[in-house]
Amino acid sequence: MELSDTFGGQVKLPYSTGLIWSHCLLNKEIKDNFRLSGWFYKREEDSKIIKQIKNPDIVAFSNFVWNTKINHRVAKTIKELYPNCLIIFGGLGNPNKKNVKAYLKQHDYIDLIVNGEGEITFEHILSSYLHGRNYEEISGLSSKNFITKDRDRIKDIDTMPSPYLDGLFDKLVMESEDTFEGVIESTRGCPYQCTFCEIGDLYFQKMSMQSNEKVFRELDWLSKNKIDFFYNADSNFGLLKNHGEIVDYMSQLKMDTGYPANMMVDWAKSKADKVVDLAQKLTDANLLKGITIALQSMNVDALKAIKRKNVDNNKLQDFINLYKDKNLKSYIELILGLPKESTQSFKDGIYKILDMGFTDYVNINAMTALPNTPFFDESYIKEYGIKIVETTPAFFHHENAEDLIDEKEMMVVGSETMSVDDYIEASLFKWYISFCEYLGTTNIVANLLNKIYDIKKSDFYDRYYNYIKTNDSFLNDEYKITKKSLQKILKKEQCWGRKVEDKTYNIHWEFQEATAINLLENKKSFYDNLKEFISNNYKVDTNVLNNIIEFQIYKVSSPDITYPFTKKFDYNLEQVLSGKQLRNGGHEYMFSHKNFDNVTTWAKEILWWGRKNKSYEVTIVDL
């Protein structure tokens, strides 16, 4: 049982349990004596799942933070109905060995917990089930009565079977009406020890690789079965030489077949200059949304607390310039809520990035305390004064988020340097800067003011933020709504995100996306208010400002505009964005973009799927 949620009509193939069952089927005794009578991969009502399970001998759960509550409910019910059924939990949602005894005492319906990699351990459990059931002899196991020694990592994952290549997923895809997304594991393990990440544990430090041939055949399967999207579960893609051959293969596959249509990958940390050629090929194949620059924080003390070392600012500036010269989209990853981070240092970090001239997307994630990280260690919590609360899973774009109200995610909402109120303030700033700059709403204005009047973007956004918090306006109303929602979320009185029911029905959007949707009916008042703010704070020529505001409006995609269209401006504003001097002489621009029939489709493609590669940008031709 590997339950995932459905997002945008897609659900994940059960890759983790697929790997385990594929391996077990190599054992003839297991193949002859066990039958997989049910494989559950999609969240449904508990009763619907339980109804399909009849007199089971063994039920195994792949347990993660996003499905732990439903797993426990279903497991408890199964144990009540079938007391002799062996209940097994695996996955990173389970506690480590230090905390597992108390966990099993609390959840006494669980018989065994698999620690670490599960393929071989689960095989040994099934074999033992047939021969005496002496589970205490199996490495990598915990129970109420024993904890065995750690199982050694699999040294060569290339020798392990694949659920893509042995036909295991064929039947699943053929018989299901679901649209699937896939996972490829070109490399397993990570050499880094980031404290916020569960694979930062020493157990996962050594890396094991799949052969290119095996990865190619798995990619062929994804293409043949028309899988639109896949995630490469390599934590440091681009670090190894053979990754270039993988990029060449999947780029050619996309161009030849159209599938997979999109992918997501975590690029090698601090190797931004090494992955440029790989990213260029994937971009040319229209397979990549952007290069990740995983900074997590710009605060040296925060990075030290999480055992993370970033490139220095000079090197980061070089990377930004390099990507810009290559015309490659990139996006920076930050985490809100790290120890030693304050609200001001968090803002200052974003301001530094803005003033470096980085104009692509910055993805700011909330800090989740995962069970097997130092964020669940009492000494680490005490050292940094970490505050943790239980919320629903921090998922967005879910069409039935209310289904998650009983699930939990442990969110870091403060530390000795950031109170809970400060955390809410930092979260509101995240909403604000994401809406204004990273969804394109004011970034053209900010860029042009910087280039024409040498107004720092950090100064513009700092003043404007203080202005919108205290002056009645559309954005002030949105600020208040967002703040109220955040307060309720941290009390677990509502799910993460925000619905815009009159326009996009039951989808839970990120707060900045919901504000962008609501902006569609409030453009005039919003931009009139923005113009008033600029006039009151900076010495800007009125006619130039009027042109900038109008240019900003048309530069960002909107579902209520029909493209292409032409518009005359007094100034060469598109050229100014490219570094030219402002010139008055009249310019006629043609604005082109995809047309949308409805707000929901526009919001999905522009605000959600395309946010990392600035899909909101309208193409402009100077006539």
Side-chain angles (χ1 to χ4, degrees):
M1 195 171 298
E2 186 177 349
L3 301 175
S4 295
D5 293 278
T6 302
F7 296 94
Q10 292 183 335
V11 66
K12 291 181 176 66
L13 281 164
Y15 182 71
S16 297
T17 49
L19 289 173
I20 291 171
W21 190 239
S22 286
H23 173 73
C24 289
L25 290 177
L26 296 179
N27 185 317
K28 186 177 185 303
E29 186 177 46
I30 290 175
K31 189 174 182 179
D32 290 344
N33 285 279
F34 288 95
R35 179 173 62 90
L36 185 64
S37 59
W39 198 352
F40 302 91
Y41 58 84
K42 183 170 66 173
R43 181 186 294 275
E44 297 178 295
E45 292 182 8
D46 299 7
S47 58
K48 188 173 181 181
I49 294 172
I50 292 163
K51 189 176 180 181
Q52 298 175 68
I53 298 172
K54 304 290 185 183
N55 299 314
D57 294 304
I58 299 171
V59 178
F61 296 80
S62 185
N63 191 42
F64 292 91
V65 291
W66 57 81
N67 63 15
T68 188
K69 284 289 186 76
I70 189 172
N71 283 342
H72 281 288
R73 291 196 307 269
V74 171
K76 187 174 186 293
T77 303
I78 290 172
K79 199 68 169 180
E80 290 168 352
L81 293 171
Y82 309 104
N84 294 324
C85 175
L86 185 68
I87 302 291
I88 306 170
F89 271 49
L92 294 174
N94 302 307
N96 55 29
K97 289 168 67 173
K98 186 168 70 172
N99 301 311
V100 74
K101 283 277 190 180
Y103 185 80
L104 286 168
K105 185 176 181 180
Q106 179 185 0
H107 307 293
D108 60 359
Y109 41 85
I110 301 175
D111 296 301
L112 298 172
I113 287 181
V114 175
N115 307 310
E117 293 175 326
E119 291 98 326
I120 296 172
T121 303
F122 194 71
E123 176 198 7
H124 289 179
I125 291 171
L126 297 185
S127 294
S128 181
Y129 188 88
L130 298 173
H131 301 289
R133 305 183 186 181
N134 298 315
Y135 304 121
E136 65 272 13
E137 298 176 0
I138 300 172
S139 299
L141 270 188
S142 297
S143 81
K144 306 176 189 69
N145 302 315
F146 62 81
I147 299 175
T148 67
K149 68 178 183 178
D150 289 341
R151 176 170 296 284
D152 291 338
R153 290 274 311 282
I154 297 169
K155 289 184 172 62
D156 186 6
I157 60 170
D158 191 52
T159 62
M160 303 297 285
S162 164
Y164 297 116
L165 305 182
D166 64 6
L168 192 60
F169 280 162
D170 290 354
K171 184 178 179 182
L172 194 66
V173 170
M174 283 188 295
E175 293 182 354
S176 175
E177 296 180 356
D178 293 310
T179 300
F180 289 102
E181 58 184 60
V183 177
I184 294 287
E185 189 180 33
S186 55
T187 304
R188 184 183 293 185
C190 179
Y192 301 101
Q193 297 181 54
C194 306
T195 64
F196 57 82
C197 179
E198 289 183 305
I199 61 169
D201 189 276
L202 286 172
Y203 179 82
F204 293 103
Q205 261 204 304
K206 289 185 179 180
M207 297 171 65
S208 181
M209 294 173 287
Q210 307 259 38
S211 67
N212 281 1
E213 180 191 2
K214 185 178 177 184
V215 173
F216 293 167
R217 288 189 292 137
E218 290 187 325
L219 289 167
D220 287 340
W221 187 94
L222 295 177
S223 175
K224 179 183 175 182
N225 287 277
K226 294 182 168 44
I227 303 297
D228 273 323
F229 173 83
F230 80 97
Y231 173 65
N232 187 343
D234 188 325
S235 298
N236 295 280
F237 193 69
L239 186 66
L240 306 175
K241 289 183 178 179
N242 70 313
H243 289 165
E245 296 174 19
I246 295 175
V247 165
D248 288 340
Y249 192 87
M250 57 191 178
S251 297
Q252 191 63 51
L253 190 66
K254 165 66 185 293
M255 290 188 283
D256 290 344
T257 70
Y259 292 95
N262 290 287
M263 66 168 288
M264 181 177 175
V265 63
D266 294 322
W267 292 100
K269 281 72 173 170
S270 303
K271 300 287 183 181
D273 52 341
K274 306 295 183 185
V275 303
V276 169
D277 291 341
L278 305 185
Q280 185 69 65
K281 290 177 181 178
L282 294 174
T283 300
D284 292 343
N286 198 25
L287 192 56
L288 183 71
K289 293 183 177 181
I291 303 176
T292 315
I293 307 175
L295 299 179
Q296 315 312 351
S297 176
M298 295 288 283
N299 182 334
V300 175
D301 291 333
L303 293 171
K304 186 178 178 181
I306 61 171
K307 295 185 178 180
R308 182 63 174 263
K309 183 179 180 181
N310 281 343
V311 295
D312 61 48
N313 285 350
N314 290 334
K315 191 72 171 176
L316 176 59
Q317 184 71 71
D318 291 342
F319 289 167
I320 290 171
N321 294 341
L322 175 63
Y323 294 158
K324 192 181 293 185
D325 291 343
K326 295 282 187 178
N327 199 29
L328 284 171
K329 293 288 190 296
S330 59
Y331 61 96
I332 287 173
E333 294 274 3
L334 297 175
I335 298 176
L336 170 58
L338 296 177
K340 290 294 182 181
E341 189 86 86
S342 68
T343 300
Q344 191 58 51
S345 72
F346 173 70
K347 291 180 182 179
D348 288 344
I350 294 174
Y351 289 152
K352 283 180 186 177
I353 292 168
L354 288 169
D355 287 339
M356 282 181 177
F358 184 80
T359 58
D360 289 343
Y361 190 75
V362 173
N363 190 40
I364 306 169
N365 298 300
M367 176 64 218
T368 301
L370 297 173
N372 297 312
T373 67
F375 283 88
F376 262 71
D377 186 286
E378 287 185 13
S379 61
Y380 190 82
I381 291 171
K382 184 177 180 181
E383 180 180 1
Y384 296 107
I386 295 167
K387 300 178 182 67
I388 298 173
V389 300
E390 179 180 322
T391 73
T392 62
F395 287 165
F396 301 95
H397 311 119
H398 199 296
E399 294 185 20
N400 297 290
E402 291 79 6
D403 294 346
L404 302 176
I405 198 68
D406 291 328
E407 290 292 349
K408 70 175 181 179
E409 190 150 3
M410 306 309 291
M411 304 301 298
V412 177
V413 297
S415 65
E416 63 179 1
T417 55
M418 182 184 287
S419 69
V420 176
D421 287 341
D422 290 340
Y423 174 84
I424 292 173
E425 168 63 15
S427 298
L428 288 165
F429 182 79
K430 168 195 168 181
W431 154 80
Y432 157 77
I433 201 70
S434 298
F435 166 72
C436 287
E437 173 70 12
Y438 301 122
L439 292 182
T441 313
T442 64
N443 70 354
I444 303 301
V445 170
N447 289 336
L448 287 171
L449 290 178
N450 174 252
K451 291 179 181 297
I452 298 170
Y453 294 102
D454 199 28
I455 297 169
K456 279 190 171 185
K457 293 183 75 172
S458 57
D459 183 80
F460 169 79
Y461 278 118
D462 195 53
R463 291 196 195 192
Y464 188 42
Y465 183 57
N466 291 325
Y467 173 83
I468 68 106
K469 288 197 296 181
T470 55
N471 288 269
D472 289 341
S473 65
F474 161 75
L475 208 52
N476 179 261
D477 291 340
E478 291 288 308
Y479 171 87
K480 291 174 181 175
I481 292 169
T482 303
K483 183 175 184 177
K484 187 175 181 180
S485 294
L486 282 166
Q487 290 168 335
K488 287 185 175 182
I489 286 167
L490 298 188
K491 295 176 183 176
K492 208 177 181 183
E493 293 176 357
Q494 72 171 63
C495 298
W496 282 88
R498 181 178 163 198
K499 291 190 284 188
V500 189
E501 291 179 293
D502 60 327
K503 300 180 184 68
T504 56
Y505 311 107
N506 202 37
I507 299 174
H508 279 241
W509 300 98
E510 292 200 48
F511 294 114
Q512 62 268 19
E513 295 166 347
T515 298
I517 293 168
N518 284 326
L519 178 68
L520 295 172
E521 293 180 351
N522 295 276
K523 282 184 191 176
K524 188 178 186 311
S525 65
F526 172 78
Y527 284 110
D528 284 348
N529 187 260
L530 176 63
K531 191 188 303 183
E532 179 183 308
F533 158 77
I534 294 170
S535 298
N536 291 339
N537 282 268
Y538 301 105
K539 292 182 179 179
V540 176
D541 179 89
T542 301
N543 191 45
V544 172
L545 180 57
N546 288 337
N547 274 253
I548 288 174
I549 293 293
E550 188 173 17
F551 190 72
Q552 165 72 72
I553 293 170
Y554 294 131
K555 181 73 173 173
V556 175
S557 164
S558 180
D560 55 13
I561 295 177
T562 300
Y563 302 95
F565 69 91
T566 60
K567 195 75 179 175
K568 290 183 178 180
F569 290 83
D570 296 329
Y571 303 94
N572 60 329
L573 298 178
E574 179 69 3
Q575 288 74 23
V576 172
L577 288 173
S578 301
K580 304 294 184 183
Q581 292 291 316
L582 181 72
R583 296 178 64 182
N584 187 343
H587 282 262
E588 185 174 12
Y589 292 118
M590 181 171 70
F591 295 80
S592 300
H593 200 271
K594 178 178 178 178
N595 289 305
F596 292 92
D597 294 330
N598 59 75
V599 173
T600 301
T601 304
W602 169 80
K604 283 184 177 180
E605 294 192 19
I606 302 301
L607 304 180
W608 176 14
W609 301 338
R611 58 188 173 179
K612 291 180 180 177
N613 60 353
K614 298 171 73 174
S615 292
Y616 63 78
E617 282 193 327
V618 171
T619 301
I620 297 179
V621 176
D622 188 350
L623 301 178

